[in-house]
Amino acid sequence: MFRLIIICGLVWFAYKKLKSLILPGPRPSQKVSGQNRQVIDDVMLQDPFCKTYFPGRDAVHLRIDGKDLYFCSTRCRDSFLAARIKS
Ligand SMILES: [Zn+2]
């Protein structure tokens, strides 16, 4: 009888462990932003100003109104900001 309880406990523990592996909970924000950074490095991005596609590792990052924008060059970023101020 005592053995059965131990087996039940082990099965329950294994089930919980498996569930946490299949459905990972929310990760710390630091880790998420690090992962995003890696994804951006490997992906082609579109410059919102000149509409050119370029590799993410060359992106010029701009954070504006809580949104992340990526530009192909500092010139595009500056032109985008200038156009934004005008409108
Ligand atoms: Zn550009």
Side-chain angles (χ1 to χ4, degrees):
M1 187 60 200
F2 189 58
R3 255 179 92 141
L4 195 73
I5 291 164
I6 290 171
I7 289 163
C8 280
L10 280 172
V11 167
W12 175 247
F13 183 77
Y15 171 74
K16 290 275 272 190
K17 188 101 179 161
L18 207 73
K19 212 174 155 185
S20 76
L21 281 173
I22 294 163
L23 299 164
R27 286 150 195 253
S29 59
Q30 181 103 40
K31 207 170 180 180
V32 167
S33 75
Q35 279 180 338
N36 283 349
R37 185 67 238 173
Q38 210 166 15
V39 167
I40 286 159
D41 281 352
D42 295 334
V43 86
M44 293 298 278
L45 298 170
Q46 191 181 22
D47 187 312
F49 183 74
C50 69
K51 310 293 180 195
T52 302
Y53 284 93
F54 59 96
R57 70 181 77 88
D58 299 333
V60 177
H61 177 239
L62 174 70
R63 194 171 176 87
I64 198 157
D65 299 336
K67 276 188 276 182
D68 288 306
L69 296 173
Y70 297 94
F71 298 88
C72 68
S73 65
T74 51
R75 237 178 80 180
C76 278
R77 182 197 60 191
D78 294 344
S79 303
F80 178 84
L81 279 172
R84 201 176 170 274
I85 289 158
K86 263 186 238 164
S87 63

